[in-house]
Amino acid sequence: MASNARLVQRARDWKVDIRGKLNSVLITEARPLFDPMTAVHYDTLEQLSDEIEHPLDALDAVGAFEDVELMLDRRSAVVTVMEDIRAHLKMFADDLAELGQTFL
């Protein structure tokens, strides 16, 4: 249970941090300069940061005496979305670095 609570809290903290960065002035002002793939990564990150709430809520609701398999499935769902977010963050960061090089 404690490890579930830590995972949920870390994932929620990570989500807030990511959303803050996605909505930062630097990113929102650069948005018109995004090429189509950069825009896709940005939109996907926004979508995934919303979608992670459902698996986080489900994992947070797991009781102490719940089925272990159910708990593992719910943890896996959270981790899967987190991995998807990480992958898109990497691609988005790479796209932003390339965009930055274009204007240097």
Side-chain angles (χ1 to χ4, degrees):
M1 290 300 297
S3 66
N4 286 347
R6 281 192 305 273
L7 175 61
V8 168
Q9 189 57 51
R10 285 183 182 158
R12 285 200 166 118
D13 289 347
W14 194 45
K15 175 198 163 184
V16 168
D17 185 45
I18 290 167
R19 287 300 283 220
K21 286 178 175 59
L22 289 176
N23 295 322
S24 72
V25 172
L26 292 173
I27 299 295
T28 55
E29 286 182 357
R31 178 120 193 205
L33 303 173
F34 291 175
D35 65 36
M37 279 311 300
T38 304
V40 166
H41 295 308
Y42 179 88
D43 293 341
T44 302
L45 285 167
E46 283 190 321
Q47 179 184 1
L48 288 171
S49 68
D50 289 337
E51 285 179 13
I52 198 169
E53 276 306 312
H54 178 69
L56 285 173
D57 289 343
L59 180 60
D60 203 23
V62 172
F65 300 105
E66 294 275 349
D67 179 13
V68 173
E69 190 170 325
L70 174 64
M71 188 228 8
L72 292 175
D73 285 345
R74 290 181 177 178
R75 282 181 68 92
S76 177
V78 169
V79 170
T80 297
V81 177
M82 289 177 73
E83 288 172 344
D84 289 347
I85 290 171
R86 184 193 62 75
H88 282 281
L89 276 174
K90 168 114 178 62
M91 290 182 280
F92 185 62
D94 291 346
D95 290 348
L96 289 178
E98 188 175 312
L99 181 64
Q101 289 299 316
T102 302
F103 291 97
L104 284 181

